[in-house]
Amino acid sequence: LEDDGDISRPYFGIIYSSEVNICEIDFGVCVHDVTGGAAEEAGIQAGDVIIGFMNTSMTDFKEVNNFNELKELILNSSVDEVVVMKYIHDGVEYISNEATLGEHPDDNK
């Protein structure tokens, strides 16, 4: 912001449900919808539960128990940084495709 007057926040691209039990799990982030961006690139779908996050500066997954933790991990990453999610789909744990964080659509309008 000080250098060029622009704000550039990383964007993953999900709408989440604050009621985790809708996804029948008591932890993680229950994905209600995918709005494109890195989430779509990663292969995340509605109904998935994100339970882990890793970017290129990390050596292992950080556990995700709620949306605030995921939001903090994303905001501490950079636009154009590659991320990977650990998630549960239909009761099975997966690791997502690599995805590149884009710029938040509300920035620099």
Side-chain angles (χ1 to χ4, degrees):
L1 182 61
E2 287 179 3
D3 292 339
D4 57 21
D6 291 331
I7 295 174
S8 183
R9 296 173 292 166
Y11 178 71
F12 187 60
I14 63 168
I15 298 173
Y16 76 102
S17 174
S18 59
E19 298 180 37
V20 176
N21 59 4
I22 288 173
C23 289
E24 300 178 358
I25 278 189
D26 293 331
F27 59 93
V29 175
C30 179
V31 177
H32 180 70
D33 199 7
V34 177
T35 60
E40 188 173 301
E41 184 182 345
I44 302 295
Q45 302 174 29
D48 291 347
V49 180
I50 297 171
I51 59 169
F53 175 94
M54 183 169 56
N55 65 27
T56 53
S57 65
M58 298 174 175
T59 58
D60 201 5
F61 282 94
K62 297 289 183 183
E63 189 173 282
V64 173
N65 292 299
N66 56 55
F67 181 73
N68 288 335
E69 289 179 1
L70 179 60
K71 180 180 174 182
E72 188 72 23
L73 289 163
I74 291 169
L75 289 175
N76 285 323
S77 299
S78 302
V79 172
D80 295 329
E81 188 164 17
V82 175
V83 298
V84 178
M85 302 290 155
K86 191 179 289 187
Y87 66 100
I88 297 172
H89 177 84
D90 289 337
V92 179
E93 190 175 303
Y94 295 93
I95 294 177
S96 75
N97 301 325
E98 289 184 346
T100 304
L101 292 174
E103 184 176 19
H104 196 285
D106 293 340
D107 293 347
N108 301 315
K109 288 191 174 184

